[in-house]
Amino acid sequence: MQTEHIKIQNIAAEEHLLRHAADILRRGGLVVFPTETVYGLGGLATNASSAKAIYAAKGRPSDNPLIIHVADPSDAEAYAHTSSLYYRLAKAFMPGPLTVILPKKDTIPLSTTGGLDTVAVRCPAHPVAHRLISLLGEPIAAPSANLSGKPSPTNAQHVAQDMDGRVAMILDGGESEIGLESTIVKLDGDTATLLRPGAITYEALCMVVDHVSVADAVTHRLAENERPLSPGMKYRHYAPTAPLVLLTGDRERVLDFLRREQSQKNCAILCYDEDLPALKGGTLFPIGAREDLAAQAHNLFRALRQADLTDAEILYAPLPPTEGLGLALYNRMIRAAAHTVKHID
Ligand code: AMP
Ligand code: MG
């Protein structure tokens, strides 16, 4: 398949290009589009064969459900059974990087939800995503636009590495602002369960919802035979070719350890900006200042992709904190590392 690569710089002036993208979606084709979290691999959410095409393009198991993207929170009414808690969350966080899981209506085919009777709803804030959904007049089903097992793409170049020749069109809207996938919560009466942490933090959710619990799989490895609350939890995402080890402990000792490793092994290191001068040059990938979690979120997937392109035999990165946006970083890193943490003392 020939993939059209389209840059969108001015939505008003280039609306005809977005109309063309909406036509492709309406006919059952696939369009990659930018969002504020990561790039999405979009198809028509109401069309069972579009969902199948998405799974095929990603090489993703078809029991891993897709998120449907709507232009306005109230558009969810046609596709899901909403609640007052849904609207409280929508008022606080939509449009934005929050996905809410609700009981689904028959308008969404089971192939979009991986056979589940619930559907994940998100209302993206990115102007290109928003305009595209509005022009289509229907929700877009979209997982992240990476091949299954690769980090989510945060720019159109990363998308092209994975999706060129597999989709009809890639819309380039620049770098994704946030860089990590949306926060996912599942609602049950007055209670919300955090299934995937993102830029809407646990602490922010607690300001709006009385009872927020965090699913075990956010921070811990699932036990054999344990049934996850979200099918995506059972897959090992973002797996670099070389093993990734997360380091924790006193800063100076960690740097000593890394310098020793650098002299003995071919290693690639994801490090904080301020640690760069203390390490030997070569395969270092700065992810932002230690205290700047937003910069780390923005840079993490690019750094992982770059580290994966080296011939390093082992990758090292700092273990993120679990507070605030740190929990989202922790969740992605701990999975990429297959829960391998080394305490340096
Ligand atoms: P991605 O589209 O790559 O950001 O992944 C979407 C994530 O949402 C996956 O981890 C799915 O398992 C999860 N998800 C989507 N729909 C549901 C649902 N109905 N119930 C639970 N998890 C869901
Ligand atoms: Mg994904």
Side-chain angles (χ1 to χ4, degrees), residues 58 60 64-67 101 116 118-120 142-144 181 184 195-196 229-233 237:
K58 254 184 97 78
R60 175 180 198 156
N64 196 354
L66 308 175
I67 294 172
I101 300 194
L116 298 177
T118 51
V119 60
S144 50
E181 307 86 345
I184 303 182
L195 302 185
R196 179 173 75 185
L229 288 171
S230 167
M233 290 171 168
H237 273 198

Side-chain angles (χ1 to χ4, degrees), residues 113-249:
T113 62
L116 298 177
D117 56 8
T118 51
V119 60
V121 179
R122 173 158 122 75
C123 177
H126 194 292
V128 171
H130 187 266
R131 193 76 199 121
L132 181 63
I133 303 163
S134 301
L135 288 169
L136 180 62
E138 286 202 47
I140 298 178
S144 50
N146 52 289
L147 286 174
S148 199
K150 295 274 181 201
S152 297
T154 55
N155 61 42
Q157 291 69 43
H158 294 169
V159 171
Q161 284 169 11
D162 286 8
M163 288 296 153
D164 204 21
R166 292 174 168 260
V167 297
M169 182 183 272
I170 297 173
L171 292 171
D172 179 352
E175 289 279 331
S176 298
E177 188 186 331
I178 294 170
L180 296 178
E181 307 86 345
S182 59
T183 300
I184 303 182
V185 292
K186 185 168 187 174
L187 305 188
D188 187 14
D190 291 342
T191 312
T193 307
L194 179 62
L195 302 185
R196 179 173 75 185
I200 305 299
T201 61
Y202 167 77
E203 292 83 350
L205 290 168
C206 289
M207 311 270 276
V208 178
V209 187
D210 291 339
H211 306 285
V212 186
S213 59
V214 180
D216 273 355
V218 167
T219 48
H220 294 91
R221 199 196 297 267
L222 279 175
E224 294 264 333
N225 303 326
E226 193 176 345
R227 199 165 160 271
L229 288 171
S230 167
M233 290 171 168
K234 69 177 181 243
Y235 299 108
R236 183 176 166 218
H237 273 198
Y238 331 113
T241 314
L244 169 65
V245 176
L246 303 179
L247 302 175
T248 167

Side-chain angles (χ1 to χ4, degrees), residues 206-333:
C206 289
M207 311 270 276
V208 178
V209 187
D210 291 339
H211 306 285
V212 186
S213 59
V214 180
D216 273 355
V218 167
T219 48
H220 294 91
R221 199 196 297 267
L222 279 175
E224 294 264 333
N225 303 326
E226 193 176 345
R227 199 165 160 271
L229 288 171
S230 167
M233 290 171 168
K234 69 177 181 243
Y235 299 108
R236 183 176 166 218
H237 273 198
Y238 331 113
T241 314
L244 169 65
V245 176
L246 303 179
L247 302 175
T248 167
D250 172 73
R251 179 184 175 206
E252 288 308 321
R253 284 174 200 267
V254 168
L255 289 172
D256 275 345
F257 169 83
L258 285 172
R259 279 191 293 264
R260 261 196 324 275
E261 287 293 286
Q262 283 188 303
S263 62
Q264 291 166 7
K265 286 183 191 153
N266 180 5
C267 52
I269 301 172
L270 276 61
C271 64
Y272 298 127
D273 294 354
E274 53 268 50
D275 292 340
L276 276 172
L279 296 166
K280 295 193 198 98
T283 40
L284 299 177
F285 301 97
I287 54 170
R290 181 183 289 264
E291 300 300 328
D292 191 348
L293 297 174
Q296 293 167 35
H298 182 77
N299 293 322
L300 178 67
F301 287 147
R302 183 184 52 220
L304 276 175
R305 270 186 190 252
Q306 287 172 338
D308 213 4
L309 288 173
T310 69
D311 58 358
E313 60 192 282
I314 188 160
L315 313 183
Y316 289 109
L319 180 72
T322 52
E323 295 81 40
L325 185 55
L327 186 64
L329 287 157
Y330 183 95
N331 168 259
R332 305 316 190 274
M333 295 292 264

